[in-house]
Amino acid sequence: MTSWNRQKSALVLGSFAVYFGAQFILRLSISPVAELDEAEQLVLTQQLSLVYGSQPPLYTWLQWTIFQAIGVGIPGLALLKNLLLFSTYAGTYFLALSISGDGRKATLASLLLLLIPQVVWESQRDLTHSVLVTTVCVLTLLTLRFLQKNPTAPRFALLGFIAGIGILSKYNYALFMGALVLAIFLCPDFRRTFRTRSALWLPAVALATTLPHLLAALNAPSRVTADLHKFGIGGSTGGIWPILSGLGELGVAVVSYLGPLLVVGWVVLVHRRRTHGKSGIPNTSESPTVRSWRRLLGLTATFAVFLCASLAIFAGVTEFKDRWMQPLLFFTPVLLVLWIRGAIDLRIFKSSVAAAVLVGLLVLSLIFGRTCISSRGRLAFPFPELAAAIQTEGLPTRIIFGGDRYVAGNLRLVFPQATILSHDTPTIPFPDYPAILAVWQPRKDGRNEERIRSFLAQTPIDSRDTDHTPITLSARRLYSADEKDSLKALIFPRKSFDE
């Protein structure tokens, strides 16, 4: 086992702080425009609510709190995202360090997160709730380790509170917790920990934490289930083929998520066999803690996949995405290093750190190049210039309806005093005002125009006084010499403000 001290831990955490600080600064520098999930938060944080739609409310509550402290804008969005990602990497480091007692293994486990595309790229690019729930899952395992050392009532209550905020982060936390509970029952060391009356604090506190949201969700089932179509439920006529399709999608999602880590695992196995013979196992004593946690995490991963498979078999789920695996399999780097028996060779450790640095620099370069060099993606859309065009046209901006959440959220950035509505976010009460401005991106399939009509059909509008010829606004894309983007705008006078 390698020697490790607080200074080395501080160096690891400081390195992650520098990396995510660079990500924060880069995000502020490259674009004043919000990504899709960021834009959704800009719309939702106009009010506090127990139910916002198909996602739980905790991320929006946290984002609202940050906006109250530093103002609505890209800095607040980037700050929350990078704080959560830093917490995930730091939590993974401390989890592995607490279990293995080996600083090199702990460092390697946290660095291996950089090989998971959904963590290193997608989480940084646009995810919100998945980032939060992954952080909470890390806290869950850390608290379980804390509880294992001394199972007292306050620690059970703490684990129950974290389980509650896990549900408030993203609903698939329930799959992670279900898999973890099943694994605990099959691990004698952990099962003994829960054989106490103090363990009853866990479900009691978890229920108390989630109950207000769950009751509110029961009163708004249509809003909570609005995105069930994403799972492909009910999209086929039945039979064995939908089940096979769902299982196939699950397999692809798991492999896509773990792909790079599977390669690392194979390399580790080959190296161990070459170094220690056919078994690949050195003649080194192993602590009971490492054995019990390796078994627990292995069973948790297995049960997580089986629970997803049961959704395909019994619930008709035919769509699985690799990002949905993040809160279910995020701990695989820790599991991988726990399979490494004995100390990690210093040469291999230094090579791993160097490779991680290169991956981090590559990610920073790709984020910069994706927007600033190629002028592609949502961050290059010229919302500031188009907002200036809206003001030049003299269009009313007190109440604005965006054709989708991307447009709506970015309009809040440039019109912070306006009330922003969107078709695919909950309706927000708005003040008595004589006109509503509809703004949308023109599309060949006319989908955004259909969203406008669908919304207006439920709104009291004086159509006799409405000019139904949309105004087209155009501006050059950010970082582009000749490409242009456009928005369409239309004013609708209102005759009633009580409905």
Side-chain angles (χ1 to χ4, degrees), residues 370-401:
R370 173 173 165 265
T371 300
C372 301
I373 297 178
S374 68
S375 187
R376 299 296 179 186
R378 299 186 184 95
L379 295 184
F381 198 90
F383 273 107
E385 290 76 8
L386 291 171
I390 289 176
Q391 292 178 318
T392 300
E393 291 286 341
L395 301 177
T397 58
R398 183 65 182 86
I399 305 172
I400 304 176
F401 172 72

Side-chain angles (χ1 to χ4, degrees), residues 112-133:
L112 284 175
L113 291 172
L114 293 170
L115 295 183
I116 303 178
Q118 292 301 321
V119 176
V120 70
W121 177 256
E122 289 298 328
S123 292
Q124 189 69 60
R125 185 185 67 85
D126 192 31
L127 299 181
T128 51
H129 299 89
S130 293
V131 175
L132 175 59
V133 74

Side-chain angles (χ1 to χ4, degrees), residues 170-190:
K170 195 173 178 68
Y171 294 127
N172 61 354
Y173 178 87
L175 291 175
F176 165 75
M177 181 54 75
L180 181 60
V181 169
L182 291 173
I184 287 173
F185 279 110
L186 291 183
C187 294
D189 293 342
F190 290 93

